[in-house]
Protein backbone atom coordinates (compact mmCIF):
# COMPACT_ATOMS: atom_id res chain seq x y z
CA UNK A 1 0.00 0.00 0.00
CA UNK A 2 1.19 3.47 -0.78
CA UNK A 3 0.97 6.34 1.66
CA UNK A 4 -2.08 7.60 -0.23
CA UNK A 5 -4.20 4.68 0.95
CA UNK A 6 -3.59 5.14 4.67
CA UNK A 7 -4.61 7.81 7.13
CA UNK A 8 -3.64 8.73 10.66
CA UNK A 9 -6.74 9.10 12.78
CA UNK A 10 -7.55 9.94 16.35
CA UNK A 11 -10.50 8.41 18.18
CA UNK A 12 -11.55 9.03 21.74
CA UNK A 13 -12.63 5.50 22.65
CA UNK A 14 -14.22 4.95 26.04
CA UNK A 15 -12.81 8.24 27.33
CA UNK A 16 -9.27 7.51 26.16
CA UNK A 17 -7.74 9.19 23.11
CA UNK A 18 -6.20 6.69 20.72
CA UNK A 19 -4.23 7.34 17.53
CA UNK A 20 -3.83 4.78 14.81
CA UNK A 21 -2.88 4.42 11.18
CA UNK A 22 -5.58 2.76 9.11
CA UNK A 23 -6.14 1.75 5.54
CA UNK A 24 -8.75 4.19 4.23
CA UNK A 25 -11.10 1.27 3.60
CA UNK A 26 -11.00 0.02 7.21
CA UNK A 27 -14.33 0.02 8.99
CA UNK A 28 -14.72 1.45 12.45
CA UNK A 29 -15.60 -2.09 13.58
CA UNK A 30 -12.29 -3.49 12.36
CA UNK A 31 -10.34 -0.52 13.74
CA UNK A 32 -11.92 -1.07 17.15
CA UNK A 33 -11.51 -4.85 17.22
CA UNK A 34 -8.18 -5.29 15.44
CA UNK A 35 -6.45 -1.97 15.99
CA UNK A 36 -7.60 -1.10 19.50
CA UNK A 37 -8.46 -4.53 20.98
CA UNK A 38 -12.04 -3.50 21.80
CA UNK A 39 -13.44 -6.96 21.10
CA UNK A 40 -16.75 -6.48 22.91
CA UNK A 41 -18.11 -5.00 19.70
CA UNK A 42 -19.13 -8.02 17.63
CA UNK A 43 -18.92 -8.68 13.92
CA UNK A 44 -22.21 -10.30 13.00
CA UNK A 45 -23.37 -9.92 9.43
CA UNK A 46 -20.81 -7.29 8.30
CA UNK A 47 -23.66 -5.81 6.22
CA UNK A 48 -25.31 -3.45 8.72
CA UNK A 49 -28.35 -5.67 9.11
CA UNK A 50 -27.95 -7.31 12.52
CA UNK A 51 -26.79 -4.53 14.86
CA UNK A 52 -24.24 -6.67 16.72
CA UNK A 53 -21.61 -4.05 15.95
CA UNK A 54 -23.62 -1.08 17.27
CA UNK A 55 -21.53 1.50 19.12
CA UNK A 56 -22.16 5.10 20.13
CA UNK A 57 -20.39 7.82 18.14
CA UNK A 58 -20.75 11.20 19.81
CA UNK A 59 -23.65 9.66 21.73
CA UNK A 60 -25.55 8.49 18.63
CA UNK A 61 -26.05 4.85 17.61
CA UNK A 62 -24.13 3.66 14.55
CA UNK A 63 -23.48 0.27 13.04
CA UNK A 64 -19.71 0.25 13.04
CA UNK A 65 -19.41 -2.26 10.20
CA UNK A 66 -20.78 0.36 7.77
CA UNK A 67 -18.81 3.29 9.16
CA UNK A 68 -15.34 3.97 7.82
CA UNK A 69 -12.79 4.56 10.54
CA UNK A 70 -11.54 7.67 8.74
CA UNK A 71 -15.08 9.10 8.89
CA UNK A 72 -14.99 8.70 12.67
CA UNK A 73 -11.71 10.62 13.02
CA UNK A 74 -11.95 13.04 15.95
CA UNK A 75 -15.11 11.54 17.41
CA UNK A 76 -16.04 10.14 20.81
CA UNK A 77 -16.72 6.41 20.48
CA UNK A 78 -18.33 4.38 23.25
CA UNK A 79 -18.25 0.61 23.02
CA UNK A 80 -19.80 -1.87 25.42
CA UNK A 81 -16.52 -1.84 27.36
CA UNK A 82 -17.08 1.87 28.08
CA UNK A 83 -20.68 1.72 29.25
CA UNK A 84 -19.95 1.04 32.91
CA UNK A 85 -18.74 3.85 35.14
CA UNK A 86 -16.09 3.22 37.82
CA UNK A 87 -16.78 -0.50 37.70
CA UNK A 88 -20.52 0.01 38.22
CA UNK A 89 -22.96 -1.26 35.64
CA UNK A 90 -25.28 1.25 34.03
CA UNK A 91 -28.94 0.74 34.94
CA UNK A 92 -29.64 -0.75 31.50
CA UNK A 93 -26.81 -3.26 31.92
CA UNK A 94 -28.11 -4.22 35.34
CA UNK A 95 -31.64 -4.58 33.94
CA UNK A 96 -30.37 -6.88 31.16
CA UNK A 97 -28.77 -9.09 33.82
CA UNK A 98 -31.73 -9.01 36.23
CA UNK A 99 -34.39 -9.56 33.55
CA UNK A 100 -32.51 -12.07 31.34
CA UNK A 101 -32.08 -9.69 28.40
CA UNK A 102 -29.59 -12.03 26.79
CA UNK A 103 -29.14 -15.71 26.09
CA UNK A 104 -26.01 -16.59 24.13
CA UNK A 105 -24.74 -13.03 24.59
CA UNK A 106 -23.44 -12.48 21.07
CA UNK A 107 -25.79 -9.60 20.28
CA UNK A 108 -25.75 -8.19 23.81
CA UNK A 109 -23.03 -5.57 23.29
CA UNK A 110 -24.88 -4.10 20.31
CA UNK A 111 -28.23 -4.36 22.11
CA UNK A 112 -26.82 -2.49 25.13
CA UNK A 113 -25.24 0.30 23.08
CA UNK A 114 -28.43 0.62 21.07
CA UNK A 115 -30.55 0.73 24.23
CA UNK A 116 -28.40 3.51 25.70
CA UNK A 117 -28.69 5.47 22.45
CA UNK A 118 -32.43 4.92 22.00
CA UNK A 119 -33.18 5.93 25.59
CA UNK A 120 -31.26 9.17 24.98
CA UNK A 121 -33.23 9.72 21.76
CA UNK A 122 -36.48 9.17 23.65
CA UNK A 123 -35.45 11.57 26.44
CA UNK A 124 -34.69 14.17 23.75
CA UNK A 125 -38.24 13.77 22.44
CA UNK A 126 -37.41 12.16 19.12
CA UNK A 127 -40.39 10.27 17.71
CA UNK A 128 -40.18 6.86 16.07
CA UNK A 129 -42.17 5.37 13.21
CA UNK A 130 -44.83 4.15 15.67
CA UNK A 131 -45.11 7.28 17.83
CA UNK A 132 -48.81 8.21 18.02
CA UNK A 133 -48.46 11.80 19.19
CA UNK A 134 -45.59 13.71 17.58
CA UNK A 135 -46.44 17.07 19.12
CA UNK A 136 -43.39 18.89 20.49
CA UNK A 137 -45.22 19.62 23.75
CA UNK A 138 -44.42 16.32 25.40
CA UNK A 139 -42.04 13.42 24.87
CA UNK A 140 -43.32 10.30 23.12
CA UNK A 141 -44.82 7.68 25.40
CA UNK A 142 -42.38 4.81 25.80
CA UNK A 143 -44.21 1.51 25.66
CA UNK A 144 -43.35 -1.96 24.36
CA UNK A 145 -44.29 -1.04 20.77
CA UNK A 146 -41.98 2.00 20.89
CA UNK A 147 -39.10 -0.04 22.29
CA UNK A 148 -39.56 -2.79 19.69
CA UNK A 149 -39.57 -0.22 16.87
CA UNK A 150 -36.60 1.73 18.22
CA UNK A 151 -34.58 -1.47 18.80
CA UNK A 152 -35.60 -3.12 15.52
CA UNK A 153 -32.15 -2.70 14.00
CA UNK A 154 -30.71 -5.11 16.56
CA UNK A 155 -31.38 -8.78 15.94
CA UNK A 156 -31.23 -11.51 18.56
CA UNK A 157 -31.00 -14.96 17.05
CA UNK A 158 -31.87 -16.55 20.40
CA UNK A 159 -35.16 -14.66 20.67
CA UNK A 160 -34.58 -12.78 23.92
CA UNK A 161 -36.72 -9.89 22.65
CA UNK A 162 -39.39 -9.95 25.39
CA UNK A 163 -36.69 -9.72 28.06
CA UNK A 164 -34.81 -7.02 26.17
CA UNK A 165 -37.99 -4.93 25.90
CA UNK A 166 -38.69 -5.42 29.63
CA UNK A 167 -35.11 -4.40 30.49
CA UNK A 168 -35.31 -1.21 28.42
CA UNK A 169 -38.73 -0.30 29.84
CA UNK A 170 -37.53 -0.95 33.41
CA UNK A 171 -34.49 1.26 32.80
CA UNK A 172 -36.71 4.05 31.44
CA UNK A 173 -39.02 3.70 34.45
CA UNK A 174 -36.07 3.96 36.85
CA UNK A 175 -34.68 7.01 35.04
CA UNK A 176 -38.08 8.73 35.10
CA UNK A 177 -38.42 8.25 38.85
CA UNK A 178 -35.06 9.87 39.62
Amino acid sequence: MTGDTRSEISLRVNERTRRLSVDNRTTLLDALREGLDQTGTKKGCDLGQCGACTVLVNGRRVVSCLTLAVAADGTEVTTVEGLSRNGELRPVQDAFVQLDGFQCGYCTSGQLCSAVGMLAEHRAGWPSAVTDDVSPDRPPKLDAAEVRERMSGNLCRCGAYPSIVRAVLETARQEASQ
Side-chain angles (χ1 to χ4, degrees):
M1 295 265 163
T2 66
D4 296 333
T5 62
R6 296 191 72 75
S7 294
E8 297 291 324
I9 65 170
S10 176
L11 301 171
R12 186 152 175 80
V13 179
N14 301 328
E15 301 182 348
R16 182 173 167 214
T17 301
R18 309 287 297 271
R19 295 203 47 81
L20 63 158
S21 175
V22 296
D23 180 294
N24 294 336
R25 300 165 293 182
T26 301
T27 64
L28 179 58
L29 171 62
D30 289 335
L32 290 169
R33 288 184 58 80
E34 297 169 17
L36 299 176
D37 201 32
Q38 298 296 297
T39 56
T41 304
K42 302 301 183 210
K43 184 178 278 202
C45 66
D46 217 16
L47 298 169
Q49 296 176 344
C50 74
C53 68
T54 303
V55 297
L56 301 170
V57 175
N58 293 335
R60 304 266 318 259
R61 306 183 274 175
V62 301
V63 285
S64 60
C65 73
L66 294 183
T67 305
L68 292 175
V70 294
D73 184 26
T75 63
E76 177 81 32
V77 178
T78 304
T79 68
V80 70
E81 292 95 339
L83 290 181
S84 64
R85 299 280 186 246
N86 301 320
E88 296 289 322
L89 295 179
R90 279 194 186 204
V92 72
Q93 291 172 297
D94 190 47
F96 264 65
V97 171
Q98 298 301 319
L99 298 171
D100 263 349
F102 59 92
Q103 287 181 21
C104 81
Y106 196 83
C107 71
T108 304
S109 59
Q111 296 277 1
L112 286 167
C113 286
S114 191
V116 169
M118 70 127 294
L119 286 167
E121 293 163 10
H122 178 261
R123 278 192 306 276
W126 297 3
S128 79
V130 299
T131 302
D132 288 332
D133 182 0
V134 294
S135 67
D137 301 334
R138 62 176 183 234
K141 178 181 163 213
L142 192 62
D143 58 16
E146 277 284 338
V147 172
R148 284 192 300 272
E149 171 62 25
R150 291 171 185 262
M151 295 289 291
S152 65
N154 292 83
L155 302 180
C156 174
R157 288 165 180 90
C158 298
Y161 298 117
S163 298
I164 291 167
V165 170
R166 279 195 306 273
V168 172
L169 287 171
E170 175 60 22
T171 302
R173 188 191 64 72
Q174 288 175 7
E175 289 176 352
S177 68
Q178 293 178 354

